[in-house]
Amino acid sequence: MDAIDRHILRELQADGRLTNQELAQRVGLTPSPCLRRVRQLEDDGVIQTYRAVVDPAAVGRGFEVFASVEVHRDRASVAAFETEVQSTTDVVEAYRLYGAPGCLLRIAVADSDAYERFWTEKLIGMPGVSDVNSQMIMRRIKSPQGVPVD
């Protein structure tokens, strides 16, 4: 990966809707070689996907919570928990961590009552869950901007 590929990645992380023409102009290439490079970055798995960033409040999910979750530390429990999390739409991000807690979830729901229902009816009943610690997000200070590609 050279400096032009990294420039392409920076531009696409800032605005994934750039046309190939606009992207080529920004990185100093003509459209054909620019498109070849983008396709190669996609084929190599460097560019994994393209998405729209949606305001959670605009879609009725403005109450966000980080939940630290302890899961029994055996393969079956971890696998069952991860499978359940994958299919749970209220969980918008999930990470398995080294150490304690074992997992960190970002959950987006309508309000405090909706989170209480989710916690009671879904989260604490997930396979292998032994403890949950919730922290409500007061205000987003910095949103994901992509990864640095220096």
Side-chain angles (χ1 to χ4, degrees):
M1 185 177 317
D2 64 12
I4 294 173
D5 289 335
R6 291 179 189 284
H7 195 175
I8 288 169
L9 293 173
R10 280 191 296 276
E11 293 294 337
L12 287 175
Q13 284 187 111
D15 184 356
R17 291 182 55 129
L18 288 174
T19 66
N20 184 59
Q21 184 81 24
E22 293 168 322
L23 180 61
Q25 187 174 29
R26 289 185 184 191
V27 301
L29 293 174
T30 58
S32 290
C34 184
L35 184 58
R36 276 195 301 277
R37 283 176 178 261
V38 170
R39 294 261 163 83
Q40 190 63 55
L41 290 166
E42 292 169 347
D43 291 346
D44 292 346
V46 177
I47 297 173
Q48 296 178 346
T49 191
Y50 299 90
R51 290 194 173 106
V53 178
V54 175
D55 175 9
V59 294
R61 292 183 174 269
F63 191 81
E64 293 182 284
V65 176
F66 285 117
S68 303
V69 180
E70 280 297 343
V71 178
H72 297 294
R73 295 181 187 248
D74 62 84
R75 286 183 189 165
S77 294
V78 170
F81 174 78
E82 289 181 2
T83 298
E84 185 77 16
V85 164
Q86 287 286 341
S87 66
T88 303
T89 57
D90 292 331
V91 177
V92 295
E93 287 183 83
Y95 302 92
R96 187 175 348 151
L97 308 174
Y98 289 106
C103 295
L104 181 65
L105 309 179
R106 184 168 66 96
I107 299 159
V109 292
D111 53 30
S112 178
D113 290 340
Y115 181 67
E116 182 181 2
R117 280 190 306 279
F118 174 77
W119 189 93
T120 303
E121 297 171 9
K122 186 76 170 172
L123 186 56
I124 61 173
M126 285 184 173
V129 170
S130 62
D131 190 36
V132 176
N133 184 350
S134 304
Q135 288 112 25
M136 280 50 100
I137 296 174
M138 181 186 303
R139 180 171 59 98
R140 185 180 312 274
I141 297 170
K142 182 178 181 180
S143 295
Q145 302 294 310
V147 296
V149 289
D150 303 329

